[in-house]
Structure formats: structure tokens, C-alpha cells
Amino acid sequence: MTIDIENLIFGLDTFGDIAYHEETQERMSDEESLRMIIEEGKLADELGIDVIALGEHHRKEYSIASPDTVLAALAMVTKNIILGTGVTVLSSDDPVRVYQRFATVDALSNGRAQVMLGRGSFTESFPLFGYDLRDYNELFEEKAALFNELLKNEPVNWKGRFTQSLDNVQVYPKMTKRLDVQVGVGGSPDSIIRAAKYGFPVMLAIIGGDPKRFKSYISLYQRAAAQFGQPLHPLGMHSHGVIADTDEEAREIAWNYVKKSMDQIGRERGWSAMDRERFEFEIESGSYYVGSPETVARKIAHVMQALGVQRFDFVYGAGGQMQKDRFRTIQLYGEKVIPRVKEILRGE
């Protein structure tokens, strides 16, 4: 797929990793973290970054359990940035309530809401909200189908097994346009096919290994969209990174915090701890975008062109990090990296 250089989209994603105070080296409270995320979103908007996407999690490392609430707050203090999620765990939520919440954010933000639906790679929300993990696939399949009906913005007739049944019900607030929906995919072919079936754009979560291995998923999406007779939307991707004034500084931050975050997840999922060799591989050839603005811009441009993706979201703040370093990453991304990626892709 050829990318349209003049209409590239660049976003920022955060899971709400709780940052650290520089003065005390202590972790912020959840309340402080949420207030800082508002400041980060304001900065991103001022810098002209296209999207900010907030991930839903229900565990101690992260402060964002209710992304749409934070997005509603951001709607009041930003002007242009698209306010999205990355992701909303539809499987353990009520599709009607999700639709209502994002219709509300869309109204408050004058049409800037975007919901990214996902099955959830973290599963704490399932027991928390009373769902059985044995129904993991079936829950998402049925709820995605109901959500697709809600997007028509017409009275809904629906018979559910895992969801409620609706008899000619109009859901409010009623929107004057179709809600902007994406689907986040972490590597499941079934998820790619499902997104194509409903005509949803796809965001690929590429968090490790050579990004080019996702070419097969992009080809699958193109074939499935054609078979279902659905429009072929441009694809996007998100990956972790740290940007600092020098490569050395960025690598030090990433080693101290991104590695810590990945090792914690690895302990829970049976992965081995990341050694220095693996860390360096991810920066040089894998899915970490770590370095000075020039280093990061060149890698983003290379991968976007290789995969043919139209949108790149930079996942910042992994492992918490110092608040000043998070702000610096956002500033350098908006001021230097994004313009430089565009220059490189234009051949300048």
C-alpha cells in the first residue's frame, strides 16, 4: 500500500504509566498522574500532534482506568487534537455504554472523539467486571457486532447472548455523524479479519521484534476487506520509544524504565528478562524508537514506508519515567521528529 505523505497522521499513546518526581525520585500518586496526563495532552495539542490515545488498564502501574473520563477533561482544555483510546476493552464493557460515553466526548470536543476497540492483552478487567475469561473470544465477537449496529445511529433491534437484547431502541445522545472507530490488533489474524468484516480501520500494536513481520497482517487485511466488499482504510501502528537530546540519554532512560516495564509483563507471561543484547536489537532493528530526534525520525520514516502505514503512534512514558523526560519526549516528537519524518519521506 502506497502511503499518502501529505496526509500522514502522528499520534501519542500512553497507558497512564505513573511517573516519578525528579526531586524525590518517588512515584506520583494516581491522582497526580492523572493531572499530569492532562498537561501532557495540552502540550501535545499545542505542538500540533494529531492524536492522543489513552489505554485502559486496571492495575497498579497505570492510572487510566477510565480513558473516556480523562478524554472528556481534555476536551475542555484542547482545541484540535483527536481524543482517542488505545484501547477500550470492549469485551469487558457494555457496548451501549461505550457508545454513549464516546458520543458524549465527541459532543464535548466538537467532533474529536475516537474510540479504539480491543479484546485486551491485559485481562484484569474481566474478573473485575464479572466476565469469564473462557468467553474471551465470544465476548468480543458479539459485542463488536452490537457496537457495529449502534454506529448506524438508528433504532437497534438486537438479540444477545452475552449482551442485552434491544427492541427498536434509540440510543442517546444521538450523533449527527458516525463515531470514529478503530480496532487495535496485537497479532491475531482473526482480529484482522473481524476488523475488515465491519469496515473498521486497524491499528497494529507492534511492541517487539522486526516490524516488517507485520506485512502479512497488512496483506491479510487488504484481501479480507476486498472479500467482504468493505472500504480499504489506511492502516496505522504504534510502538514504544523515548526521545531525548542525544542517543545516549534516550537509551539510558529506556534501559531504566522501558526494560523495567517489559520485564514486569514478561514475568507474568513467562518471558525471559530482557538482556542488553535484546534491548540493543529492539532499538537498532526491532520495535523500540529510542534516540535523538534525528535517529527516531529516520527509523519511523523507514518503517512507515516499509509497511505502507499511514499513521504512527508513539507510545511514551513506559515504566513511568521522570515527568520532565516525558514532557521532553512529547516536545521533541512534536517539534522535531514529526516534521523530520515528513521531510525524509518526501526525499528532502
Side-chain angles (χ1 to χ4, degrees):
M1 183 185 292
T2 303
I3 61 175
D4 179 359
I5 296 173
E6 300 308 315
N7 292 292
L8 298 175
I9 297 172
F10 292 93
L12 281 167
D13 293 5
T14 178
F15 299 157
D17 305 70
I18 299 174
Y20 291 82
H21 292 287
E22 182 183 6
E23 301 81 7
T24 64
Q25 309 289 302
E26 292 182 354
R27 204 162 170 257
M28 291 182 176
S29 66
D30 287 6
E31 295 91 337
E32 289 175 304
S33 172
L34 288 166
R35 291 193 290 269
M36 283 297 101
I37 289 164
I38 297 298
E39 296 304 314
E40 292 167 356
K42 287 166 61 177
L43 176 60
D45 185 51
E46 291 164 5
L47 292 167
I49 295 170
D50 298 310
V51 185
I52 187 164
L54 309 181
E56 174 194 347
H57 291 86
H58 305 273
R59 46 193 289 148
K60 66 180 181 180
E61 302 99 310
Y62 310 116
S63 61
I64 302 175
S66 178
D68 42 278
T69 305
V70 184
L71 295 175
L74 279 169
M76 298 292 95
V77 295
T78 58
K79 295 180 180 179
N80 299 306
I81 197 166
I82 294 170
L83 305 172
T85 54
V87 299
T88 293
V89 185
L90 185 64
S91 308
S92 57
D93 212 326
D94 179 340
V96 174
R97 295 295 290 144
V98 171
Y99 183 84
Q100 289 180 317
R101 297 196 304 262
F102 281 89
T104 301
V105 173
D106 200 66
L108 293 173
S109 63
N110 195 25
R112 291 185 284 131
Q114 181 181 88
V115 57
M116 189 183 300
L117 306 176
R119 295 190 300 171
S121 63
F122 291 87
T123 57
E124 289 83 3
S125 63
F126 288 80
L128 183 63
F129 300 125
Y131 292 98
D132 192 330
L133 272 171
R134 290 175 295 185
D135 300 324
Y136 182 80
N137 292 318
E138 292 81 1
L139 281 165
F140 189 80
E141 180 64 49
E142 181 173 324
K143 291 185 178 189
L146 173 54
F147 199 82
N148 189 57
E149 291 300 311
L150 294 165
L151 291 173
K152 298 173 183 177
N153 206 17
E154 299 172 351
V156 177
N157 289 289
W158 180 261
K159 298 296 182 184
R161 176 188 170 205
F162 294 102
T163 59
Q164 62 272 54
S165 295
L166 302 171
D167 184 9
N168 199 39
V169 174
Q170 176 64 57
V171 175
Y172 299 100
K174 193 170 169 61
M175 298 184 67
T176 57
K177 68 176 184 64
R178 182 181 171 92
L179 183 63
D180 185 358
V181 178
Q182 311 271 316
V183 171
V185 176
S188 165
D190 288 343
S191 295
I192 291 282
I193 293 169
R194 187 185 300 108
K197 173 184 175 182
Y198 294 121
F200 294 147
V202 166
M203 282 288 291
L204 300 168
I206 306 179
I207 63 171
D210 185 349
K212 297 183 187 66
R213 77 188 194 281
F214 278 79
K215 279 186 175 181
S216 60
Y217 291 92
I218 294 170
S219 297
L220 176 61
Y221 177 76
Q222 294 168 344
R223 296 195 306 272
Q227 290 179 9
F228 287 119
Q230 293 286 6
L232 184 59
H233 297 287
L235 284 89
M237 62 174 287
H238 90 177
S239 292
H240 289 277
V242 174
I243 311 169
D245 293 311
T246 67
D247 288 349
E248 293 75 19
E249 182 185 359
R251 285 176 185 242
E252 181 181 2
I253 295 168
W255 178 252
N256 290 335
Y257 292 97
V258 178
K259 169 182 160 50
K260 179 182 73 173
S261 177
M262 293 301 177
D263 285 352
Q264 173 62 39
I265 296 169
R267 283 192 291 272
E268 298 172 8
R269 301 183 183 184
W271 308 339
S272 59
M274 183 179 295
D275 59 21
R276 192 78 199 197
E277 182 180 1
R278 180 67 190 184
F279 176 75
E280 296 294 340
F281 165 81
E282 290 293 351
I283 292 174
E284 296 296 333
S285 305
S287 297
Y288 292 175
Y289 297 76
V290 174
S292 67
E294 181 68 18
T295 297
V296 171
R298 287 192 174 279
K299 185 171 181 181
I300 291 174
H302 172 73
V303 172
M304 291 186 79
Q305 195 152 49
L307 293 180
V309 295
Q310 194 71 25
R311 172 175 167 180
F312 183 92
D313 280 15
F314 193 95
V315 185
Y316 72 95
Q321 304 179 24
M322 295 295 172
Q323 187 61 57
K324 69 177 182 65
D325 294 330
R326 293 162 64 106
F327 281 135
R328 188 63 174 154
T329 283
I330 294 169
Q331 182 179 15
L332 292 173
Y333 182 63
E335 289 182 347
K336 296 187 176 183
V337 172
I338 293 173
R340 183 64 181 131
V341 172
K342 293 177 180 179
E343 288 176 354
I344 295 168
L345 290 173
R346 292 191 190 104
E348 299 174 6

